[in-house]
Amino acid sequence: MPGLPLIIDCDPGVDDAIALLLAIAAKEALEVLAITTAAGNVGGDLTARNACRVPEIANRPDIPVFAGMDRPLSQEPVGADHFHGVSGLGDLPAGQKRSPNRRSVLVNSCWSGFGKSGWPEANTATRPLRHDRGLD
């Protein structure tokens, strides 16, 4: 029996990469349906790239990744590259084989559809939810 259906919203630096790896590995408890990203620890292009890289490392390239906002809506970006490294994943080589999907009406519908038949019963965010109204 699959685990709890889950969409994970994150800004993958080192900390979120570990959280994603743990969630993907917990197959009996969690069913990771998708990963969505926004800028945070590093810029949006890098968080999206990092989110694509993690399922590759976990041998789960079937998990879709949706890139969201590349900057906060109401404040200047505050990066954490002093901790997470310039790429957000320390010194891990890029190695990206795929590009993220753009977050779209489909994802917006998914976020508003929790609790309805056919949509996940749970979601989790590992970042501040300051980007969510800016879905493109």
Side-chain angles (χ1 to χ4, degrees):
M1 179 167 86
L4 179 69
L6 190 65
I7 294 175
I8 301 174
D9 188 48
C10 54
D11 60 346
V14 175
D15 54 345
D16 289 356
I18 292 169
L20 289 169
L21 288 169
L22 290 170
I24 292 168
K27 296 177 221 170
E28 293 183 16
L30 302 172
E31 179 186 4
V32 179
L33 300 176
I35 300 167
T36 62
T37 68
N41 291 318
V42 291
D45 58 331
L46 291 175
T47 60
R49 185 204 70 173
N50 295 347
C52 287
R53 184 79 170 112
V54 172
E56 290 173 3
I57 292 168
N59 200 27
R60 286 292 313 275
D62 58 301
I63 298 173
V65 174
F66 297 91
M69 299 290 290
D70 60 357
R71 58 175 286 117
L73 288 175
S74 61
Q75 65 187 42
E76 289 300 312
V78 178
D81 57 347
H82 61 282
F83 179 81
H84 295 278
V86 176
S87 73
L89 293 179
D91 295 329
L92 186 68
Q96 181 181 345
K97 297 178 184 173
R98 66 177 174 147
S99 296
N101 300 301
R102 292 303 302 172
R103 228 189 308 204
S104 65
V105 174
L106 172 65
V107 176
N108 194 17
S109 298
C110 183
W111 281 106
S112 63
F114 288 118
K116 297 178 182 176
S117 176
W119 291 107
E121 295 177 11
N123 71 313
T124 189
T126 62
R127 62 172 184 82
L129 296 177
R130 61 183 178 258
H131 300 286
D132 294 330
R133 293 290 175 222
L135 296 173
D136 56 352

